[in-house]
Amino acid sequence: MPLPSPVSPAVMFPPPRTQNSRTTGHPEVACGIGEWDKLLYGNHRFVMEVLGEGAGVGQAHSVVLPWRRQDKDPAAVEVIVVSESSGTRVRNVVVERATKESGTLVFQAIDGPGIYFAYYLPYAMLGKPHYPQAQYLPQRPAADPAWAAAVGRSPWAPAGQAGLPEATVLRYEAASERDSFAPMNFTARVDELERLQADHSEEAFLVFPEDRLNAVSMQSDLPAHWVIGGPSDTFHGTAQAGEDYVVQLGLYAQKELHGICVEVDSPEGGHCINTDGVDRLGQPWRRALSVPAGTVRALYVVLPVPRDAAGTTYSTVVTIHAAGEPPRTIDVTLDVEAGEDSDPAILEGGFGDPRFLRRLAWLDSAVAQDAELVAPFTAITVDESSATLGILGRTLRLAESGLPAQVTSTFTAAVTSTDGPAVELFDTPMKLDIDGIAWEFSPIGFTVDGPARVTWRCHWTGWRDGAAAVALELTGVLDADGAVTYALRLVPGKTLDVNDVGLHLRFLKSAVPLAMGLGVPGGRRPETLHWAWDVASKNQDALWLGGVNAGLQLSLRDDSYQRPLNTNFYREKPLVEPKSWAHRQEDGVRGGVTLQTTEDAVTLHAFSGARTLPAGETLDFTFRLLLTPFKPIEPGKHLSKRYFHEPAHPAIIKTAGATVVNIHHATAPAPYINDPLLSQDSLKEYVARCHRQGLRAKIYNTVRELTFHSPELLPLLQLDHEIFSDGPGAGHIWLQEHAGSGYVSAWFAPNVEDIAVVTTGESRWENFYVRSLQELATGENGIDGIYLDDVAYDRHAMLRVRKVLERACVERGVDGPEIDLHSANQFTAHDGYASSANLYMEQLPYVDRLWLGEYFDYDTTDPDYWLVELSGIPFGLMGEMLEGGGNPWRGMVFGMTGRAPAVDNRPLWEFWAANDLEHAQMIGFWDPQAPVRTSHPDVLATTWMTDRGMVVALASWAEHTEDVTLIFDDEAAATRMDAPAIRGFQSAAAYAPGHPMTLAPQRGLLLVIGF
């Protein structure tokens, strides 16, 4: 039975003030909002009145609907007429003429005089429930041919029946405020456009200033009120002191335009977000725009209004330049409201009503752009004499080339601390080879960028036949989490024909028993691997090799790298093939990776193949290493954070034994996908109630997609696919009617009628997102962390996220934040066969818990797969299960459970508490020093050492029922072995040491063993 939601959705904000209200948004008729079943009739209708005179029951009437449509073929779409008085659909309807401008109908007034509705864009929701594909209903003649003939509306109608009484169009109505076409989506008529073009025939482009509350939507058509009112060189608005005021300028290109830039002349600053700003790395960002002839582009100018400007007039000039064309200037005048009318929250740094678009200024946010540390990482140590860099639990020693000579880990085999014996990965130093080239290296120069980052540089000179033939500039960067980024820029001094440019790594065989990536699911390392680039169908560019307590991921890239889409959308935006590593030869052979195993070593060769290196042509052989594990696991902390994935009443959650609630989207406190600030008040109220119960509260919030409820969505769609990925459009009907085309339609949550659009992942939206998290986390009732449902951004963004949340926790005096990462299994054809843990490894240093996830197989996969692909342990974190509730017995071997409340974890949680596992030492089966093993190689044991004895989790991966006994390091350790009753998990039983226990396949036991 579902638990009750404590908060009901409510109207977020009062109706905003606007210069072009919905009631005056059509040139000919009034506009309003109605109530009806839009899944039956569509989102739009005209209200018609049949007057009494000459309007007997059944009388035919004609009407002209001034619909001013933007869909391509109005004549192909059904029109439904319904009588208000009886609610009956009128079957006798003939559409005489349907153009984009208007439609002429003849319909039968079946109930005589009164109100009739003409629904002119009905649609069907096809496709999958959460990924709909809407289509307009096709026009299907339904009128009785005899009736049509009698009223003279058919080819065989008798003459003299043309004159019919006319119904009156009272108004246009939409099914909701958000669905309305008023005022921006009613198109101009042909004659109106002809007059506009005749009046401005000499101008390359026209500018239409528009109120920020009326977001520009159409891309090819012009709004009717723009064309009727004409362009303008002035804008007047009302502002708040201290706000970032957004001026929206609609630019219509009458000829193809290039080199568009926008200049703001104001002592307070200001800029156009389409052309200027700060990129996601904190660097200045600038772009000149091109706009095709006959299209519309909205420009958004952010003007900081001085905090002391209340009661004054603020003026500025915005100039739009286009290459080869006279500039256009717009005089902007803002009346700044006096103190008594101003919003104090704005003066305090708040953003107020999101519909006023003040949050667009967050695209330039530099929050958390620094090289400072986050817990638990330590400052990087640099020993220049030995070229050795030290980080938490790992060291990186450089060869004279600046490439790694050795990577060493001191993580213990249990991965619970960093004071273990040193484990080395390499048999020989890494090298980049070009056949016939002898390298000479300059001294390495180090730069300490901050406690969390060190950079080094080295110049290589390549000699062939006694002459300098090629130069290479190496830049390496080490971050405190263990990410090592190399940029190797190769520039031949003369044209060279080479057999290969390749990266060579030689690992100690004993150090790398496990592998994941390049088509290898997580688990035991294969003896050989032959892999070639195939970005069209494979989201693969990285391979991880290692053991539980020492490993390395290699990712191959170049300067054209862009993060691809994931989670069902990889093929819409796949990897960009690196022209360096993925060189394609004339015979079709392309670069790739080979792995070979010998008696004592594993050799990895990333090759680009035979090629010609033209003189002076730059090639970027970029790659990244991730040194694992990133941090020690904390099993006790993991077990103390008991999760509940439903925003039920906090008292109910606490009674269930949970300590943390994850607030998903499409729930009352946070109904909208990835924009929880839209319901900030209800969210903070719920978080406060959780805090009063001693619970931590976290929010679902990522950037993979964005709700259509975000007022910024339409403006962001104007940014040349910087924020939203280009795609086929279509999807939900709202997107088709308001977003136009050139997007990827994403998740649809029908219970809250929320629609999302897929983002590109790496853009200035990162700045907005990090700034929004700061807003969510700040204050006594700030969120305690986030739940990520797959990740569209990279480790740079993830680090900023961690910093923002951690610093907010420090300000509040609470423990650090909790960040979860949930992923469906990406090792599928539509996701490009990418193991989720490998795909997201760069984010794992800053994640606390994995939730892997839908479509994972917990029953037929082996323990190595569990360890590498599911558990997170080799990377310094722990995980949970999701698909089908998981396998609770195997899960306990890794400290994993299913997701409550879908899975009832209370019996296990009670067992943990009764045996104080939160304070016990966990020693997994992967540790050679594990104190307990079993007599069967496919039955594994993990031990928790407590003050009173041991708790041992057993799980079987054997194909058949097996009798197993426990093997103790100290044979005298066990005096008794009890399996307490745990509801849904096991029945009570007692076992004598040395005596067998019977385990069925895929099952297990939890034993309490006394000393």
Side-chain angles (χ1 to χ4, degrees), residues 531-534 580-585 588-593 607-609:
W531 175 89
W533 290 91
D534 180 14
S580 52
W581 299 109
H583 174 64
R584 188 192 302 267
Q585 302 175 49
V589 176
R590 51 175 99 178
V593 173
F607 61 91
S608 63

Side-chain angles (χ1 to χ4, degrees), residues 454-505:
V454 171
T455 301
W456 61 97
R457 292 176 173 83
C458 181
H459 177 78
W460 300 11
T461 302
W463 296 81
R464 174 184 279 186
D465 300 328
V470 63
L472 187 148
E473 294 294 332
L474 177 148
T475 302
V477 179
L478 172 66
D479 286 320
D481 59 2
V484 190
T485 303
Y486 275 101
L488 278 62
R489 176 154 289 182
L490 184 72
V491 184
K494 61 181 180 179
T495 298
L496 299 173
D497 290 319
V498 300
N499 290 325
D500 184 35
V501 180
L503 189 69
H504 295 269
L505 296 84

Side-chain angles (χ1 to χ4, degrees), residues 725-777:
S725 184
D726 195 1
H732 193 279
I733 195 64
W734 187 92
L735 295 175
Q736 297 185 45
E737 293 182 345
H738 295 273
S741 61
Y743 58 85
V744 178
S745 176
W747 186 262
F748 171 54
N751 63 316
V752 291
E753 200 176 353
D754 194 12
I755 310 150
V757 179
V758 173
T759 64
T760 58
E762 295 183 352
S763 69
R764 287 180 295 163
W765 190 243
E766 174 186 318
N767 297 335
F768 185 108
Y769 173 70
V770 172
R771 175 63 181 83
S772 72
L773 285 176
Q774 183 183 56
E775 193 81 19
L776 287 164

Side-chain angles (χ1 to χ4, degrees), residues 309-343:
T312 68
T313 297
Y314 175 81
S315 299
T316 190
V317 175
V318 176
T319 304
I320 302 173
H321 301 269
E325 305 297 339
R328 293 291 303 272
T329 60
I330 310 298
D331 293 318
V332 177
T333 303
L334 301 178
D335 295 329
V336 185
E337 291 192 331
E340 61 272 14
D341 297 322
S342 62
D343 185 348

Side-chain angles (χ1 to χ4, degrees), residues 956-968:
S956 176
W957 275 265
E959 293 184 9
H960 307 289
T961 298
E962 301 287 350
D963 291 331
V964 300
T965 57
L966 298 188
I967 301 170
F968 296 89

Side-chain angles (χ1 to χ4, degrees), residues 145-393:
W147 176 86
V151 298
R153 292 317 191 253
S154 71
W156 53 87
Q161 300 293 316
L164 292 175
E166 295 184 0
T168 301
V169 177
L170 298 181
R171 63 187 174 276
Y172 157 86
E173 289 185 342
S176 73
E177 182 82 12
R178 180 163 292 278
D179 289 312
S180 179
F181 283 154
M184 299 303 296
N185 291 80
F186 292 121
T187 62
R189 298 196 309 258
V190 171
D191 62 309
E192 295 165 343
L193 284 169
E194 289 174 346
R195 283 195 297 271
L196 176 76
Q197 292 163 353
D199 291 343
H200 302 277
S201 60
E202 301 301 318
E203 299 175 54
F205 63 95
L206 308 178
V207 180
F208 299 89
E210 179 60 67
D211 190 278
R212 55 184 168 175
L213 291 169
N214 300 326
V216 172
S217 169
M218 297 187 294
Q219 301 166 356
S220 303
D221 293 302
L222 286 173
H225 73 275
W226 281 9
V227 175
I228 295 170
S232 176
D233 56 6
T234 63
F235 176 83
H236 184 270
T238 302
Q240 295 275 319
E243 76 164 304
D244 291 305
Y245 191 96
V246 172
V247 176
Q248 180 181 215
L249 302 175
L251 183 151
Y252 174 60
Q254 298 206 108
K255 60 181 289 188
E256 187 169 352
L257 303 175
H258 299 282
I260 297 173
C261 59
V262 180
E263 177 186 351
V264 179
D265 182 10
S266 169
E268 303 299 329
H271 68 284
C272 175
I273 66 170
N274 305 69
T275 60
D276 295 273
V278 176
D279 73 10
R280 70 185 194 90
L281 301 177
Q283 301 301 312
W285 178 92
R286 174 162 290 187
R287 176 172 60 188
L289 303 179
S290 295
V291 180
T295 64
V296 177
R297 178 68 53 84
L299 304 176
Y300 291 91
V301 177
V302 178
L303 299 176
V305 179
R307 292 171 54 85
D308 59 358
T312 68
T313 297
Y314 175 81
S315 299
T316 190
V317 175
V318 176
T319 304
I320 302 173
H321 301 269
E325 305 297 339
R328 293 291 303 272
T329 60
I330 310 298
D331 293 318
V332 177
T333 303
L334 301 178
D335 295 329
V336 185
E337 291 192 331
E340 61 272 14
D341 297 322
S342 62
D343 185 348
I346 300 296
L347 287 173
E348 294 172 5
F351 59 87
D353 186 335
R355 289 173 293 186
F356 287 98
L357 302 181
R358 300 178 183 107
R359 298 190 302 174
L360 282 177
W362 294 356
L363 292 174
D364 296 326
S365 172
V367 169
Q369 292 279 20
D370 55 57
E372 299 300 315
L373 292 164
V374 296
F377 301 109
T378 55
I380 301 173
T381 61
V382 182
D383 184 343
E384 295 193 26
S385 62
S386 63
T388 300
L389 308 175
I391 56 175
L392 177 69

Side-chain angles (χ1 to χ4, degrees), residues 499-520:
N499 290 325
D500 184 35
V501 180
L503 189 69
H504 295 269
L505 296 84
R506 184 176 167 90
F507 295 87
L508 294 165
K509 182 179 177 180
S510 60
V512 290
L514 305 171
M516 177 173 56
L518 301 187
V520 178

